[in-house]
Amino acid sequence: MAYILLTGGAGYIGSHTALALLRAGYKVISFDNYSNSSTTALQRVEQLAGAKVISISGDIRDEAALQTVFRQYPINAVVHFAGLKAVGESTKMPLHYYDNNVAGTVTLCRVMREHKVKKLVFSSSATVYGDAKTVPIAETAARSATNPYGQSKLMIEHILEDLVQAEPDWSISVLRYFNPVGADSSGQIGEDPNGMPNNLMPFIAQVAVGKRASLSIFGNDYATHDGTGVRDYIHVVDLAAGHLKALQYLSKHQGIEAINLGTGTGYSVLDMVKAFSKVNNVAVPYNIAPRRAGDIASCYAQPDKAFNLLRWQAEKTLDDMVRDSWRWQRQNPNGYSNS
Ligand code: NAD
Ligand code: UFG
């Protein structure tokens, strides 16, 4: 029985991956400081899976706490979700982001090496492509960062590459997620942003449920089919499945591979709003606002590498994404908090 350690296992993507791993028969250990999540998420994962998560409250920068976990359990591999992810906040608190994301990852890798656990799946982001010159974006595209969050992901990618160069017996998958949306079809777990959502889908859902009056669409003069920004939205359940495939791949291959996890299809902001309204039969009032600083017109994946290496591809449709996002929002208007 394989033990998989999920850092940030109580978060949005971590909780969905924990559920998928439990259902596939893995032992799951979550190590999370709950800075952006709640223990309720993992309780619901346990109910859905009918199996226990070993949940540990701790910070990845706390080497002693990590040592204890690695001493206590025969960990086979680590899926490293833990990190801060708000772009705007990162520009105001760069040291906090570098400390949490970069220093935290270095500490984690040091402890892993000491315990001879050298299989790692890392949550990277399409943000490492910066303002890509062409779409779809392949893994070989040039990398750059425009804010401390993106810079932290890029730095970690370089650190992991250097690590494999120095110690070739590591097996590392760097998964570059595009835009995760949706929720488990039970509506029991989902994305629970703190305060005002930064991302499109939770904002649409909060407008639909009546928590916010109107969606501001940031710009309708981009060079896209309807002028609004185009992104590669990927269902979080598909994303979670990608992590299982990556773990299987790591068990047979050494070295490091960066792999896009996206659908390969771009949808505009207006496409998303229209699909959400139509599929869920709910109004989503919107207004056109100025462009958001730092946004790009179009970003979607070339997803072939994931299929060729991992035998993974996204299976859920746009309708699934908007239906499942809405079910989660409707059943949990205040996310995991009861207030
Ligand atoms: P999330 O905030 O829901 O989950 C991250 C989890 O990590 C949270 O539970 C948080 O409490 C925990 N955490 C943060 N810092 C920690 C620390 N120092 N020690 C222990 N736990 C810590 O975010 P998510 O959407 O599930 O994202 C997971 C990963 O995927 C992140 O690394 C994020 O940068 C990356 N990613 C997310 C997206 C997205 O749009 N959701 C896109 C690309 C990449
Ligand atoms: N948008 C709106 N109104 C909103 C929110 C978003 O019009 O209230 C638009 C944006 O302008 C963009 C699209 O919806 O065109 C998607 O925006 P998101 O903020 O949901 O996603 P981004 O692609 O901008 O950002 C995401 C992650 C970042 C990551 C980036 C690149 O949130 O962390 O992808 O990978 F850096």
Side-chain angles (χ1 to χ4, degrees):
M1 181 65 65
Y3 280 76
I4 310 296
L5 175 67
L6 307 188
T7 70
Y12 172 45
I13 305 168
S15 56
H16 286 83
T17 305
L19 179 58
L21 285 166
L22 287 176
R23 284 182 169 154
Y26 290 91
K27 295 271 189 203
V28 175
I29 306 164
S30 166
F31 186 87
D32 199 306
N33 66 0
Y34 303 109
S35 58
N36 195 38
S37 54
S38 130
T39 51
T40 312
L42 290 175
Q43 288 160 11
R44 294 194 182 174
V45 165
E46 290 180 332
Q47 284 160 12
L48 289 167
K52 287 276 171 212
V53 175
I54 302 163
S55 15
I56 295 157
S57 174
D59 193 298
I60 52 166
R61 291 164 294 178
D62 181 347
E63 187 157 346
L66 281 174
Q67 290 281 7
T68 305
V69 179
F70 277 82
R71 267 198 299 270
Q72 201 169 353
Y73 299 100
I75 295 167
N76 299 86
V78 177
V79 186
H80 177 30
F81 297 106
L84 300 173
K85 62 169 184 175
V87 173
E89 185 184 65
S90 79
T91 63
K92 298 191 181 79
M93 309 171 78
L95 294 181
H96 187 45
Y97 270 67
Y98 291 127
D99 184 40
N100 200 86
N101 294 4
V102 181
T105 302
V106 171
T107 303
L108 172 68
C109 289
R110 214 171 27 228
V111 176
M112 287 177 69
R113 181 178 52 190
E114 204 176 314
H115 292 266
K116 300 190 173 50
V117 178
K118 294 194 166 187
K119 293 181 174 47
L120 174 68
V121 179
F122 171 62
S123 298
S124 191
S125 165
T127 195
V128 300
Y129 296 121
D131 191 353
K133 290 201 170 51
T134 52
V135 280
I137 307 172
E139 289 82 355
T140 48
R143 288 176 289 175
S144 66
T146 53
N147 56 70
Y149 167 70
Q151 194 66 256
S152 75
K153 292 291 177 191
L154 199 46
M155 284 179 179
I156 296 166
E157 288 202 0
H158 287 306
I159 290 167
L160 297 177
E161 286 157 15
D162 289 344
L163 179 59
V164 170
Q165 188 72 34
E167 299 175 20
D169 58 338
W170 281 79
S171 302
I172 301 180
S173 287
V174 170
L175 301 182
R176 296 181 181 148
Y177 312 152
F178 280 67
N179 290 57
V181 296
D184 183 68
S185 62
S186 65
Q188 288 292 299
I189 55 173
E191 187 173 11
D192 183 15
N194 262 332
M196 178 91 89
N198 297 309
N199 298 117
L200 179 65
M201 185 62 96
F203 208 105
I204 291 177
Q206 290 195 6
V207 171
V209 85
K211 283 183 85 171
R212 304 192 187 273
S214 171
L215 168 75
S216 291
I217 296 184
F218 299 140
N220 65 349
D221 57 353
Y222 285 107
T224 61
H225 64 272
D226 60 18
T228 67
V230 165
R231 297 290 183 274
D232 188 336
Y233 296 94
I234 169 153
H235 198 296
V236 67
V237 169
D238 277 337
L239 201 61
H243 292 74
L244 270 69
K245 295 285 192 177
L247 285 168
Q248 287 162 12
Y249 181 83
L250 290 187
S251 66
K252 298 198 196 76
H253 299 85
Q254 291 188 338
I256 182 165
E257 292 287 351
I259 302 171
N260 287 340
L261 293 187
T263 65
T265 302
Y267 290 109
S268 73
V269 179
L270 277 172
D271 290 334
M272 299 305 285
V273 171
K274 286 177 188 159
F276 197 99
S277 300
K278 183 164 175 267
V279 170
N280 298 318
N281 194 23
V282 62
V284 180
Y286 65 84
N287 58 281
I288 304 298
R291 289 181 177 196
R292 182 171 67 178
D295 271 359
I296 55 178
S298 198
C299 174
Y300 55 93
Q302 162 59 264
D304 293 3
K305 187 172 175 183
F307 186 71
N308 293 335
L309 286 192
L310 308 182
R311 295 285 141 197
W312 172 91
Q313 61 187 346
E315 280 163 11
K316 304 263 186 193
T317 64
L318 177 58
D319 286 9
D320 295 328
M321 299 183 209
V322 295
R323 191 184 300 112
D324 293 337
S325 294
W326 180 228
R327 188 183 297 104
W328 155 252
Q329 178 68 62
R330 209 168 12 109
Q331 289 179 198
N332 308 271
N334 299 310
Y336 291 113
S337 76
N338 297 318
S339 56

